[in-house]
Amino acid sequence: MNILIAYISMTGRNKKIAEHLADYLEEHNADVTLEQMIDTDAFDLDSYDAVIIETYTYNDGEVPDEAKDFYDDLEDVDLKRTKFAVLGSSSKEHLHFGRAVDYFTMRLNSSNGEQVSDSVKIDQDPNEDDFKRVDQLGNYVLKSLNKD
């Protein structure tokens, strides 16, 4: 099982979550590539068995500037039914809580990806319950790959 976790992190919060998820998946025998989204080529996503995208939501519910090129490239990518999941942190104090997670989920679906888990939105710093939801997302990805 070859899984990519591509993340974008401004405060380090998403990096911490991505590292937790990578460790969890590796404990379950997955081969994980963990990289920042700015270093990820959207046109290579279909070479993975599954892709997990992690983003924060910027300003008024926007995709972060550092993720825009990647996000825009997804419009021209055919994921060829590559399995995917999306998660990210945001703040419930903002009107558009986690909106970038929604944008990435819609874009991956419209790029012919196969969503295997509900998206996970975390309010600011993750707590124990949030990490359990992250692990559950990981389980859904693993189960979807074990079916094949």
Side-chain angles (χ1 to χ4, degrees):
M1 289 179 282
N2 187 11
I3 301 172
L4 169 69
I5 300 173
Y7 71 94
I8 195 80
S9 187
M10 181 167 53
T11 63
R13 185 179 297 141
N14 276 337
K15 180 179 181 186
K16 179 180 179 180
I17 296 165
E19 289 171 344
H20 170 89
L21 182 55
D23 290 345
Y24 182 84
L25 293 169
E26 287 171 345
E27 288 171 11
H28 291 84
N29 302 315
D31 179 20
V32 178
T33 300
L34 176 65
E35 63 186 27
Q36 293 187 44
M37 202 177 298
I38 199 163
D39 298 324
T40 304
D41 186 342
F43 293 95
D44 292 339
L45 296 184
D46 67 347
S47 66
Y48 293 92
D49 298 318
V51 174
I52 300 171
I53 301 297
E54 184 178 4
T55 185
Y56 64 90
T57 299
Y58 186 69
N59 206 12
D60 287 328
E62 300 162 18
V63 170
D65 286 342
E66 316 91 287
K68 285 259 194 219
D69 288 342
F70 178 82
Y71 179 79
D72 290 343
D73 285 348
L74 287 174
E75 195 167 31
D76 299 320
V77 169
D78 181 358
L79 291 177
K80 302 173 187 159
R81 306 303 300 159
T82 301
K83 294 167 181 6
F84 78 87
V86 183
L87 71 160
S89 65
S90 188
S91 172
K92 285 189 176 178
E93 293 178 9
H94 294 141
L95 175 65
H96 304 290
F97 173 67
R99 179 75 50 89
V101 170
D102 298 333
Y103 289 147
F104 270 103
T105 300
M106 289 184 286
R107 181 63 53 95
L108 290 161
N109 271 307
S110 67
S111 297
N112 203 24
E114 180 185 338
Q115 186 173 355
V116 297
S117 172
D118 288 340
S119 298
V120 173
K121 297 178 185 179
I122 295 168
D123 184 25
Q124 300 192 38
D125 289 311
N127 61 31
E128 188 176 323
D129 287 338
D130 292 323
F131 281 123
K132 286 179 184 174
R133 293 188 309 131
V134 170
D135 293 348
Q136 185 177 31
L137 178 145
N139 277 333
Y140 283 121
V141 172
L142 292 169
K143 285 179 186 176
S144 73
L145 295 172
N146 287 327
K147 280 195 242 179
D148 292 346

